[in-house]
Amino acid sequence: MPHHTPLISTIVAALVLAFILGAIANRFRVSPLVGYLLAGVLLGPFTPGYVADQAVARDLAEIGVILLMFGVGLHFTLDDLLSVRSIALPGALVQIVSATALGLGLAWLLGWTVSGGIVFGLALSVASTVVLLRALQERRLVATERGRIAVGWLVVEDFATILALVLLPTLANLAKDGGGAGVIDLIVPILLTLAKVSAFVAVMLIIGKRVIPLIMHYVAHTGSRELFRLAVLAIALGVAYGASTLFDVSFALGAFFAGIILAESELSQRAANEILPLRDAFAVLFFVSVGMLVNPMIVVNDPIALIATLLIVVVGKSVAAFAIMRAFGHPSSAALTISASLAQIGEFSFILAALGVALGLLPERGQDLILATAIISILLNPALFAGLDRLLARRQAAAQRAEPARAPEPPAREPMPQTALSDHVVLIGHGRVGRIVAGGIHTRQLPLLLVESDPALANKLKAAGFEVINGNAADPAVIKAANLKEARCLLVAIPDAFEGGQVVQQARAINSELPIIARSHSDEETVHLKAHGASKVIMGEEEIGLAMLAELARL
């Protein structure tokens, strides 16, 4: 059996080199993302040494996009998406038109054709799904209004990209015929594409809404974790592939709608936890695949055009997005967040550029500029967000010191009201373990405060009569709102020991005498949680073993 197949060698080389360079970047307090991109550059065809298979890397990266969008869909509902349509739809369209116009202007200066300029501008107008969502997830903004606007913006851009990909062959024919084709040649593909997308959405709402939750509940009742994890992957990848094959809808959009449908099931949180490790691994492969496309020599060979292209993406798009958000009455903090989110390009830009070159619309120089701009803008994006975080923090501090007569601008995030409960139990997480604990505490009629990150589940718990804080307990604002200074006990029931450690550490800083009980799955996690301040850590496997021995003693 051969051991050096392109698939295996590409995965191994990409992950190992990404880990090494990511760890080095992290050591120098730089985002690991920089290391992932540099790993791709080293594995690409433009640098000496081993060259990974680019086609395989792109396919693996596409799986990462599918899993990422499916995971985001699990935290959304159709109501969430529709609630931001008044800003996401016009905002995305105006921003696309603005960026396309800027790209067309630069193309005219470079002596390209109008059709080439349109393709170039469209490629610069589309933000990277992976980069945008990664930034929002790191700041736990996906479930906020800003996060919903950004995701809605992405969905509109996805629809626009689908239309662009359909219309490019027609645009190429028009360019060759010298405008001899009629308007009907443009209208028919648009109507056909809209019909296909509408058919896909209808199928998901009519059939998928019933079938997908039914499948997941059936699998959950089998008790097999492996089968449940396989079902999650099969639904995410199967719906994405089916959407692309049958309806010409992008993988990302298909997976996103599959996640939205499953989000209405009680199993959505468990599904999100199961898909998380694979999503992160394939997201790394996405960044490696981006780095592999870039020829570093373009920085030397075409610096002026590259700088101009980069300015369109980082400055032009950001200014347009900021102006649109402010025009619709959103605070500058939200406008700045959306601006920073869109100041990069990614996967769809590559597809548009490749198709443009294949159809003879875009010169290869344009594709090189797009690829180089993608990697540089992706590298700059974490720095933009870090600068934005500092700016908003300073602005919020200045607003607190401002004169009462001058109404300060709304802070980056609305302050979370503190619970009025005292001598209460604070329970973090309402999953399989948290649900049992909450039921027992409720039966004993003890005052209970739940902290749950899933908005849909939090709303259900509130409707059932529980007092709930919706948010991630690792967020200082959330844990502060739990009033731990007057709490009886803190129970950390979330399965992620790393996040649990952050919760425990912050809680211990607030109340040094507070009893804190956490859960773990291994001895290493137990040590980690105790090192961060947990009073007691309960390892599930150990407790099961003790319970079995106790039952044996009764026989």
Side-chain angles (χ1 to χ4, degrees):
M1 177 180 176
H3 295 284
H4 300 289
T5 65
L7 175 62
I8 295 175
S9 59
T10 298
I11 292 176
V12 172
L15 291 180
V16 170
L17 194 56
F19 166 70
I20 294 171
L21 295 180
I24 293 173
N26 187 69
R27 177 67 180 82
F28 288 98
R29 300 186 181 279
V30 178
S31 171
L33 184 149
V34 175
Y36 307 156
L37 290 168
L38 292 178
V41 174
L42 293 179
L43 293 174
F46 305 104
T47 52
Y50 171 76
V51 177
D53 191 306
Q54 287 181 289
V56 169
R58 280 196 300 271
D59 288 343
L60 294 172
E62 197 68 64
I63 295 177
V65 176
I66 291 171
L67 297 180
L68 183 69
M69 287 300 287
F70 179 74
V72 171
L74 288 173
H75 294 90
F76 266 75
T77 65
L78 284 175
D79 291 337
D80 292 332
L81 200 59
L82 293 174
S83 68
V84 296
R85 65 184 183 277
S86 60
I87 175 63
L89 180 59
L93 293 177
V94 172
Q95 180 254 307
I96 289 172
V97 171
S98 302
T100 302
L102 291 172
L104 181 59
L106 177 58
W108 177 76
L109 291 175
L110 295 174
W112 300 349
T113 62
V114 173
S115 56
I118 292 174
V119 175
F120 185 65
L122 283 172
L124 299 182
S125 69
V126 185
S128 168
T129 299
V130 178
V131 177
L132 190 155
L133 293 177
R134 189 184 184 93
L136 293 178
Q137 287 170 342
E138 286 177 352
R139 289 156 182 81
R140 301 181 181 91
L141 293 174
V142 173
T144 66
E145 183 185 14
R146 285 176 284 170
R148 289 195 294 271
I149 292 173
V151 173
W153 206 297
L154 272 180
V155 171
V156 176
E157 283 192 349
D158 207 346
F159 278 121
T161 305
I162 293 169
L163 284 173
L165 291 172
V166 170
L167 291 175
L168 280 185
T170 305
L171 184 63
N173 291 333
L174 287 172
K176 291 176 182 177
D177 297 340
V183 179
I184 193 71
D185 295 313
L186 289 174
I187 294 178
V188 170
I190 293 175
L191 293 177
L192 186 60
T193 302
L194 291 176
K196 289 180 178 179
V197 172
S198 300
F200 167 70
V201 174
V203 167
M204 292 301 295
L205 293 178
I206 297 172
I207 300 176
K209 197 172 184 178
R210 292 176 174 82
V211 174
I212 292 177
L214 190 66
I215 293 173
M216 295 307 299
H217 280 280
Y218 169 78
V219 175
H221 285 302
T222 65
S224 171
R225 184 174 182 177
E226 292 82 2
L227 195 58
F228 184 86
R229 183 180 293 123
L230 181 59
V232 175
L233 285 173
I235 289 172
L237 298 175
V239 172
Y241 185 78
S244 175
T245 304
L246 301 176
F247 301 98
D248 289 332
V249 173
S250 68
F251 288 137
L253 196 61
F256 179 66
F257 269 92
I260 284 181
I261 297 302
L262 185 55
E264 299 186 15
S265 166
E266 295 179 356
L267 297 169
S268 60
Q269 187 64 35
R270 182 179 171 189
N273 292 335
E274 293 293 345
I275 209 169
L276 185 63
L278 276 174
R279 184 201 72 186
D280 290 343
F282 279 102
V284 171
L285 292 174
F286 165 80
F287 291 109
V288 174
S289 71
V290 173
M292 290 172 61
L293 296 171
V294 178
N295 183 357
M297 290 306 296
I298 193 173
V299 178
V300 178
N301 298 333
D302 209 354
I304 304 300
L306 177 59
I307 292 172
T309 307
L310 187 63
L311 288 174
I312 291 174
V313 172
V314 177
V315 179
K317 287 174 61 178
S318 299
V319 170
F322 182 87
I324 295 163
M325 289 287 291
R326 293 294 286 156
F328 277 81
H330 289 271
S332 61
S333 55
L336 287 169
T337 300
I338 300 300
S339 298
S341 299
L342 299 172
Q344 35 72 24
I345 56 175
E347 55 274 17
F348 285 120
S349 303
F350 311 149
I351 298 171
L352 283 167
L355 183 58
V357 170
L359 294 172
L361 296 172
L362 182 70
E364 291 189 5
R365 182 188 181 191
Q367 185 177 31
D368 291 340
L369 288 173
I370 289 169
L371 295 174
T373 300
I375 191 170
I376 296 173
S377 63
I378 290 172
L379 285 171
L380 290 175
N381 204 245
L384 288 176
F385 264 102
L388 175 61
D389 292 341
R390 288 193 292 270
L391 174 64
L392 294 180
R394 285 199 301 268
R395 181 175 290 183
Q396 187 170 0
Q400 293 172 352
R401 297 191 301 266
E403 292 292 333
R406 183 177 181 271
E409 186 178 329
R413 176 171 56 179
E414 290 296 325
M416 191 169 288
Q418 190 177 74
T419 180
L421 292 176
S422 60
D423 194 31
H424 56 296
V425 177
V426 179
L427 174 61
I428 311 297
H430 195 268
R432 288 178 296 174
V433 174
R435 183 168 58 250
I436 297 171
V437 175
I441 295 173
H442 188 65
T443 301
R444 294 171 60 184
Q445 297 184 336
L446 294 174
L448 172 64
L449 174 66
L450 290 170
V451 179
E452 173 56 50
S453 61
D454 183 15
L457 180 56
N459 290 333
K460 290 180 182 178
L461 292 170
K462 289 177 183 177
F466 289 98
E467 181 164 345
V468 183
I469 294 176
N470 179 212
N472 192 306
D475 185 338
V478 173
I479 201 69
K480 182 179 179 182
N483 192 19
L484 294 181
K485 289 184 179 180
E486 300 184 31
R488 172 184 301 200
C489 179
L490 172 65
L491 305 177
V492 183
I494 54 177
D496 188 339
F498 292 101
E499 187 174 306
Q502 296 176 18
V503 176
V504 170
Q505 186 176 33
Q506 294 185 59
R508 182 58 68 209
I510 294 173
N511 187 344
S512 60
E513 304 298 326
L514 179 69
I516 302 176
I517 303 173
R519 66 179 282 198
S520 74
H521 294 286
S522 66
D523 293 332
E524 291 77 10
E525 290 185 357
T526 299
V527 172
H528 173 77
L529 289 164
K530 286 186 175 180
H532 281 75
S535 309
K536 182 173 179 58
V537 179
I538 298 174
M539 187 165 67
E541 290 78 0
E542 182 179 343
E543 293 303 314
I544 292 172
L546 292 174
M548 286 182 170
L549 290 174
E551 291 297 323
L552 179 63
R554 294 191 182 99
L555 297 178

